[in-house]
Each structure stands twice: as C-alpha cells, then as structure tokens.
Amino acid sequence: MTLEERIENSKTSIFKAVFPNTTNHYDTLFGGTAMHLMDEVAFITATRFSRQIMVTVSSDRIDFKKPIPAGTIIELIGKVSHVGNTSLKVNVEIYIEQMYAEGRELAVHGDFTFVAIDENKKPVQVIK
C-alpha cells in the first residue's frame, strides 16, 4: 500500500450532537470538550494509520473560528498531514451543521502530534 493510500484509508470522521450538558454559559460547546473530541479523533486516525501504540505528544495550534451552538451537529475529521520516522501529525477539523438546514461551516481546526511506542514506552518506527 502506498503512503497516500494509507493516509486516505486512515481518514476518520465522527459525528456528534451538541447537547446542553456539553455547553458553557454562552450556550456554546466548551473549548475543552472540543479539544477532547479532537484529540480522540486524532488518536483514532493515528492508530488506524500505524496500527501501533500511539501517544499524543503535542497539540500544536487549535484555532476556534466560530462558536459551536447547542442544538447543532458537528463532524470531526482527522487526516494524517505529515509522517516522520517515529512520529506523525494529524490535522483535525470540526464542522458545524444546523440540524434542520442545509450547509456546514468550519468552526475549529488544529494539529496533533503522535509518537509510536513499544511495550517499554520507547519510540519505534511509525511504519513497520
């Protein structure tokens, strides 16, 4: 399998409904909840790419472009954007969709770096 095919096959998409128990006093999704969901999608993407034990080592930059209101649907999309020897980078985007209207908007995007490790927690090659 080529690197491009591996990247495409590991692309991960998850949908969530934004309910009131995940929102702040402005009735929008907590930033920390968004980051939690993004790290989870990034982890799944990294693991699907490498099929090895992967750990988050950094979140480089997370940009909150639009607030995410309660009562919307969000889609989180993770895609590998860079592959190194023992690490890889995953870009995650969150899109907002209104429940009862067409269209979607990019709300948040960020990058997460992962390292492949062995059973002794030592870095190993991302691609075997």
Side-chain angles (χ1 to χ4, degrees):
M1 179 182 319
T2 68
L3 180 63
E4 292 77 20
E5 289 171 327
R6 202 168 177 151
I7 289 171
E8 190 57 35
N9 289 342
S10 66
K11 187 174 175 184
T12 302
S13 177
I14 295 176
F15 289 88
K16 296 274 189 185
V18 180
F19 292 116
N21 66 323
T22 62
T23 62
N24 58 29
H25 58 291
Y26 294 114
D27 209 26
T28 60
L29 187 68
F30 277 115
T33 302
M35 291 189 303
H36 168 88
L37 292 169
M38 291 174 80
D39 187 37
E40 183 177 335
V41 168
F43 166 76
I44 293 168
T45 304
T47 302
R48 292 179 71 209
F49 178 87
S50 69
R51 297 298 176 181
Q52 297 189 78
I53 300 169
M54 301 297 289
V55 293
T56 308
V57 294
S58 74
S59 56
D60 297 342
R61 180 180 175 131
I62 299 174
D63 292 320
F64 294 85
K65 300 291 188 183
K66 294 193 170 290
I68 300 174
T72 57
I73 297 167
I74 57 173
E75 180 182 16
L76 296 101
I77 301 171
K79 186 173 181 181
V80 173
S81 59
H82 176 76
V83 179
N85 291 324
T86 61
S87 66
L88 59 79
K89 189 170 284 198
V90 178
N91 177 263
V92 180
E93 298 175 325
I94 301 180
Y95 289 89
I96 307 169
E97 294 183 16
Q98 298 301 319
M99 285 197 186
Y100 309 111
E102 294 294 323
R104 57 194 248 140
E105 298 178 272
L106 178 63
V108 184
H109 63 87
D111 293 305
F112 295 78
T113 303
F114 289 81
V115 169
I117 59 171
D118 64 16
E119 59 279 347
N120 298 313
K121 300 181 182 168
K122 301 291 183 206
V124 295
Q125 295 290 314
V126 170
I127 299 175
K128 290 183 178 179

